[in-house]
Amino acid sequence: MKRKKKPHDEHISEGWLIPYADLLTLLLALFIVLFASSNVDAVKLKAMSQSFSSVFNGGSGMITNSSLSTSQEEEDSKKTDARTKAQSYEIAELEKIKEEANDYIKQQKLEKDIKVEVTNEGLVFTIRDRALFSPAQAEVRGNAVQIAQGMSNLLVKAGQRQIQVSGHTDNIPINTAQYPSNWELSTERAISFMRALQRNPQLVPKRFTVSGYGEYQPIASNQTESGRSQNRRVEVLIRPLIDIKAQNVLDETKVKPS
C-alpha cells in the first residue's frame, strides 16, 4: 500500500517587505526633520540630506534643505546688519571725539604738534615730542602739563574704551646713564605722559596700557631731520568697543559716484 505524499509547504509571501521598507524610509525622514530642527550647521545638514536622498531615491534629491538654507541666510544677514550698525555707531562716536579734539587743537594753536585721526585701530592722537619733552628727556613739564590736562578732558569722553599710550623715537642712538637705548627713552616718555593724563581723577587707571617702540615704528624717513622729528612722538590710542576694521574696509570698497 503506497503512502500518501505530504503536500508541499505553501510559499510564504514576501509582500510585507514593501510596507516595512516604507516604514524605514518614513522613520529616516522623521530623523532628518528632527535633526534639522536643532541648531546644526546648514552645510553639513545639506550634505547629509543629499547623501540619504541619493541612497533611497536613486539620486533624485527629494530630500532638500532649501528652507533651512534660507533661514540660515536670513539669520546671517541679520547678524551682519547688526554688526554693521554697531560698527557705524562706534565710528560715529569716535568721530565726535575727533571733532572736539580738533577744536581744542585749533584753540590752543597746536596744529603743528598734535594730529588726530580715526584709523582701523581706533582714534589716534599723535603728539610731536617737542611739544612734551626736552631733548633726550622724558619728564612732562611746563606747557606740556596743560596739553596733558586738555587731552585728559577729551579722553574722559571715551567712556569705557581702552586707552593705549605709546612712545616712539628716531633712529639716532642714545646711551646715557638714565636711558641706555631708545627702548628705555620711548617707554619712559609713554609712562610719563600717561601719568600726566591720569592726574584727571575722572580717568580710570585700569583702562590704560603703555608701551615703548623705540625707533622701530617710524612714520617718516629717518634720513632727514624733518622725518626724524616726525618719528619722535607719543601716540594715544582710544580703542573702539568693537572691531571697526571690517566697516572701514567696506567703506573703502564702495564705488564713489563719478
Side-chain angles (χ1 to χ4, degrees), residues 28-232:
L28 177 61
L30 176 61
F31 168 75
I32 293 175
V33 171
L34 293 175
F35 186 73
S37 299
S38 61
N39 293 326
V40 298
D41 190 310
V43 175
K44 293 180 180 179
L45 177 60
K46 182 178 181 180
M48 184 190 71
S49 299
Q50 289 177 343
S51 297
F52 284 135
S53 296
S54 178
V55 172
F56 288 97
N57 298 287
S60 61
M62 292 178 63
I63 302 176
T64 65
N65 67 331
S66 58
S67 60
L68 293 173
S69 298
T70 302
S71 178
Q72 184 66 39
E73 289 173 0
E74 291 177 352
E75 183 178 351
D76 291 343
S77 177
K78 289 179 181 179
K79 290 181 180 179
T80 300
D81 290 343
R83 183 168 59 251
T84 300
K85 289 179 181 179
Q87 290 169 336
S88 298
Y89 174 81
E90 185 66 14
I91 293 174
E93 290 298 299
L94 294 178
E95 287 287 353
K96 289 180 183 178
I97 301 175
K98 175 185 173 181
E99 291 178 6
E100 294 188 34
N102 281 328
D103 289 341
Y104 164 76
I105 292 170
K106 186 175 181 180
Q107 291 172 4
Q108 300 298 318
K109 299 180 180 179
L110 295 170
E111 293 94 333
K112 294 182 179 180
D113 293 318
I114 303 178
K115 181 179 70 173
V116 57
E117 60 182 337
V118 176
T119 71
N120 284 340
E121 299 297 327
L123 181 64
V124 182
F125 293 84
T126 303
I127 312 164
R128 302 278 284 274
D129 75 321
R130 65 189 182 188
L132 301 176
F133 312 106
S134 299
Q137 297 298 316
E139 184 180 355
V140 176
R141 60 184 180 182
N143 293 335
V145 175
Q146 296 178 353
I147 292 176
Q149 181 179 0
M151 284 197 60
S152 71
N153 293 330
L154 294 169
L155 296 180
V156 169
K157 301 179 184 299
Q160 298 301 312
R161 296 174 179 86
Q162 296 294 308
I163 300 170
Q164 178 178 345
V165 183
S166 58
H168 304 262
T169 68
D170 58 26
N171 67 342
I172 302 299
I174 184 174
N175 186 5
T176 67
Q178 192 173 9
Y179 308 115
S181 73
N182 284 323
W183 286 111
E184 286 82 6
L185 178 60
S186 63
T187 302
E188 188 58 36
R189 283 183 167 181
I191 293 173
S192 179
F193 190 63
M194 180 186 67
R195 287 173 176 164
L197 292 172
Q198 290 183 358
R199 292 176 186 175
N200 188 329
Q202 292 181 275
L203 292 177
V204 181
K206 69 178 182 179
R207 289 170 42 220
F208 282 78
T209 57
V210 66
S211 57
Y213 292 98
E215 64 201 69
Y216 299 105
Q217 288 194 1
I219 57 174
S221 172
N222 277 309
Q223 301 302 314
T224 65
E225 174 53 36
S226 174
R228 290 191 293 270
S229 178
Q230 293 180 59
N231 291 332
R232 298 190 299 268

Side-chain angles (χ1 to χ4, degrees), residues 16-30:
W16 61 273
L17 289 175
I18 297 175
Y20 180 72
D22 290 341
L23 178 60
L24 289 179
T25 302
L26 290 174
L27 287 175
L28 177 61
L30 176 61

Side-chain angles (χ1 to χ4, degrees), residues 1-7:
M1 186 174 180
K2 295 183 179 180
R3 296 181 181 178
K4 294 182 178 180
K5 295 182 179 180
K6 295 182 180 180

